[in-house]
Amino acid sequence: MTTSTRKQRELQAREELILDAAQSMLHQHGYNYLTMERIAETVEYSKGTIYNHFASKEDLVCSLCCRCITNLIDVFERAYQYRGSTRERFSAIGIAYSLYLQLNPMDSQNILTVKNNAIREKISKEKLIEMESLEREITTIAKSIVQQAIDIGDLDNKHQHHLSTIVFGFWSMHYGALLLDQSGIPLEQLGFSPVVQMLWTNANIFLDGYQWQPLSTVTDTARLFEKISSALFD
Amino acid sequence: MTTSTRKQRELQAREELILDAAQSMLHQHGYNYLTMERIAETVEYSKGTIYNHFASKEDLVCSLCCRCITNLIDVFERAYQYRGSTRERFSAIGIAYSLYLQLNPMDSQNILTVKNNAIREKISKEKLIEMESLEREITTIAKSIVQQAIDIGDLDNKHQHHLSTIVFGFWSMHYGALLLDQSGIPLEQLGFSPVVQMLWTNANIFLDGYQWQPLSTVTDTARLFEKISSALFD
DNA sequence: ACCTGAACACCGTTCAAGT
DNA sequence: ACCTGAACACCGTTCAAGT
């Protein structure tokens, strides 16, 4: 049990303070403006104290990323609890992902940053483990819905071996789409529609390809999207 | 017409020399070891001369990225020329992408780096335009195959409006998968199969979802993969 | 006209000194 | 035991001087 002393709670509070300051600095002025010096000034502690909390700038940024994944897990859990068919609940996870990153573009920037090897190399082993454990939680939620779909019969059990392939396909489609969107490629200029909309179409096509019942051909997908998104974010 | 003088050719050659040096440095020691100083030493010119060729370190890295996209266009064109159905040719593009980045992991690292806003902000307008024009070429190749599929009837023409949505879905799925693979997430540890394999499965499911004929259910997909990949890379 | 490298600015990180 | 900030190392970028 974590019987936190007053001291520990104060430290914890200061850590949040630092992270909040860093996040708001990122939001307002971008990554290149974010310096350890400036963070220290903002929270009115010395640089040494910041380093007392975070082993490096990269660890600090990775901590921001962990907070963001934690938020995602929250939304994913709401999606998991959505009252509907397995397909609707799995779709809800996609919508949760898609809308969360759309509403918090800075968070997706951050995810992108941490994925970069140049940054990643400098992250401490412990922080990486912390982040990977959060990532595992995320995929576990998605996997369990696929398993339930097979158990119920919404998804043919010949896919039992491909369980993680389905999750991976769905994940990578959303991940890729949102990164493409975030990374400044002028998609509209290349003749593409809004990303959230294309994602919703393609997610349905993908699940249709797996014959996940009920198919989108017998569903009012536009209305379903509205229902799910208001259930998740209102 | 570019009637290049001797001087211009020498400059061009030196630029390639610099890029080669930078690329090999990236391969061998990673992004954090790559310095303008070290590049200058390696090619035996001064830092000032390097800056004569590239406005900034980020521009240099972006130029590496452009070379990589140019290579990709090459492979994509071979995929376009593949003798087979429209579906096979479109699949060939996915395989080209997938295998190229698998064979050149450093290139996918580089793409990832350039997508990052912190880096992107520092790239000069001209370089960005150069890169975007290459990216447009890539999507154009993919789009034209989809158009041909609709014209021939391999793909129902109700998808005429979704033409770019199909390309985008296919692109984002591959892009996301390969970035997830490249970015150090321990996929196997999370219970996933090799990425190229999952991608091939999911790409087929995706195209089946769009009812792109002939469906994978009437195809020996494992053999097709072999055929296409040896046509592209041997 | 082009090349050079010393000098500058900036920033992440450390650690001796202070409380 | 914890905090501080001067000092250090490193690197991208510039530009006056040289050829």
Side-chain angles (χ1 to χ4, degrees), chain B residues 35-36 38 47 51 57:
Chain B
T35 18
M36 298 306 260
R38 271 193 269 261
K47 281 184 283 181
Y51 276 92
K57 183 183 177 183

Side-chain angles (χ1 to χ4, degrees), chain A residues 87-104:
Chain A
R87 171 151 176 167
E88 284 169 350
R89 289 165 63 218
F90 196 66
S91 298
I93 286 197
I95 293 174
Y97 197 59
S98 158
L99 290 184
Y100 178 83
L101 292 186
Q102 196 78 4
L103 293 170
N104 305 277

Side-chain angles (χ1 to χ4, degrees), chain A residues 52-119:
Chain A
N52 229 322
H53 286 273
F54 304 97
S56 66
K57 182 183 177 181
E58 285 74 17
D59 262 37
L60 194 155
V61 171
C62 186
S63 301
L64 285 180
C65 194
C66 285
R67 288 217 300 196
C68 146
I69 302 179
T70 306
N71 293 339
L72 262 176
I73 291 175
D74 261 22
V75 199
F76 273 40
E77 261 155 13
R78 283 211 290 283
Y80 182 89
Q81 303 291 345
Y82 182 81
R83 293 182 176 277
S85 66
T86 56
R87 171 151 176 167
E88 284 169 350
R89 289 165 63 218
F90 196 66
S91 298
I93 286 197
I95 293 174
Y97 197 59
S98 158
L99 290 184
Y100 178 83
L101 292 186
Q102 196 78 4
L103 293 170
N104 305 277
M106 273 303 149
D107 284 4
S108 44
Q109 258 310 309
N110 227 285
I111 292 178
L112 194 53
T113 302
V114 173
K115 292 292 169 272
N116 194 70
N117 252 348
I119 306 288

Side-chain angles (χ1 to χ4, degrees), chain B residues 161-217:
Chain B
H161 328 280
H162 302 134
L163 202 136
S164 63
T165 304
I166 299 176
V167 172
F168 183 76
F170 202 67
W171 184 15
S172 56
M173 181 186 261
H174 284 74
Y175 186 73
L178 293 158
L179 290 197
L180 283 173
D181 190 32
Q182 248 304 298
S183 66
I185 294 182
L187 290 173
E188 319 78 47
Q189 209 174 307
L190 291 168
F192 292 108
S193 313
V195 165
V196 173
Q197 194 179 311
M198 289 196 290
L199 253 178
W200 178 237
T201 303
N202 285 325
N204 276 303
I205 294 287
F206 180 73
L207 300 182
D208 286 350
Y210 273 108
Q211 296 284 318
W212 193 327
Q213 305 297 323
L215 298 186
S216 73
T217 42

Side-chain angles (χ1 to χ4, degrees), chain A residues 205-222:
Chain A
I205 294 288
F206 180 73
L207 299 182
D208 285 351
Y210 272 109
Q211 297 284 317
W212 192 328
Q213 305 297 324
L215 298 186
S216 74
T217 41
V218 298
T219 307
D220 181 345
T221 53

Side-chain angles (χ1 to χ4, degrees), chain B:
Chain B
M1 196 71 274
T2 56
T3 50
S4 60
T5 64
R6 179 178 59 80
K7 192 70 207 170
Q8 284 174 318
R9 269 179 280 119
E10 280 175 8
L11 280 177
Q12 182 58 37
R14 193 166 63 191
E15 192 150 314
E16 292 301 323
L17 185 70
I18 297 171
L19 288 172
D20 289 341
Q23 187 160 36
S24 120
M25 210 173 275
L26 264 181
H27 272 69
Q28 290 178 32
H29 302 101
Y31 191 84
N32 291 314
Y33 184 85
L34 186 76
T35 18
M36 298 306 260
E37 177 92 52
R38 271 193 269 261
I39 296 172
E41 273 170 32
T42 306
V43 297
E44 295 183 283
Y45 284 98
S46 72
K47 281 184 283 181
T49 300
I50 311 289
Y51 276 92
N52 229 323
H53 285 273
F54 303 98
S56 67
K57 183 183 177 183
E58 285 75 17
D59 262 36
L60 195 155
V61 171
C62 186
S63 301
L64 285 179
C65 195
C66 284
R67 288 219 297 199
C68 147
I69 301 180
T70 305
N71 293 337
L72 261 176
I73 291 175
D74 261 22
V75 200
F76 273 40
E77 261 155 12
R78 284 211 291 283
Y80 183 88
Q81 303 290 347
Y82 182 82
R83 294 184 175 276
S85 65
T86 56
R87 173 153 174 163
E88 283 168 351
R89 290 164 63 217
F90 196 67
S91 297
I93 286 198
I95 293 175
Y97 197 60
S98 157
L99 290 185
Y100 178 82
L101 292 185
Q102 196 77 6
L103 293 169
N104 304 277
M106 273 305 150
D107 284 5
S108 43
Q109 259 309 310
N110 227 283
I111 292 177
L112 195 52
T113 303
V114 173
K115 291 293 169 274
N116 194 69
N117 252 347
I119 307 288
R120 204 178 182 86
E121 277 173 9
K122 296 190 185 168
I123 301 176
S124 68
K125 191 148 193 165
E126 300 84 53
K127 263 292 166 236
L128 272 182
I129 288 175
E130 185 187 335
M131 189 170 64
E132 278 161 13
S133 141
L134 290 171
E135 276 164 345
R136 183 170 295 115
E137 266 189 69
I138 283 232
T139 58
T140 303
I141 298 174
K143 270 190 193 169
S144 70
I145 299 182
V146 181
Q147 185 61 62
Q148 288 165 27
I150 292 176
D151 293 345
I152 288 177
D154 289 345
L155 195 53
D156 194 298
N157 66 14
K158 74 180 168 194
H159 293 124
Q160 182 66 57
H161 328 280
H162 302 134
L163 202 136
S164 63
T165 304
I166 299 176
V167 172
F168 183 76
F170 202 67
W171 184 15
S172 56
M173 181 186 261
H174 284 74
Y175 186 73
L178 293 158
L179 290 197
L180 283 173
D181 190 32
Q182 248 304 298
S183 66
I185 294 182
L187 290 173
E188 319 78 47
Q189 209 174 307
L190 291 168
F192 292 108
S193 313
V195 165
V196 173
Q197 194 179 311
M198 289 196 290
L199 253 178
W200 178 237
T201 303
N202 285 325
N204 276 303
I205 294 287
F206 180 73
L207 300 182
D208 286 350
Y210 273 108
Q211 296 284 318
W212 193 327
Q213 305 297 323
L215 298 186
S216 73
T217 42
V218 298
T219 308
D220 182 345
T221 55
R223 188 157 163 279
L224 180 60
F225 184 92
E226 287 309 324
K227 267 184 69 178
I228 292 176
S229 59
S230 62
L232 294 179
F233 287 95
D234 293 343

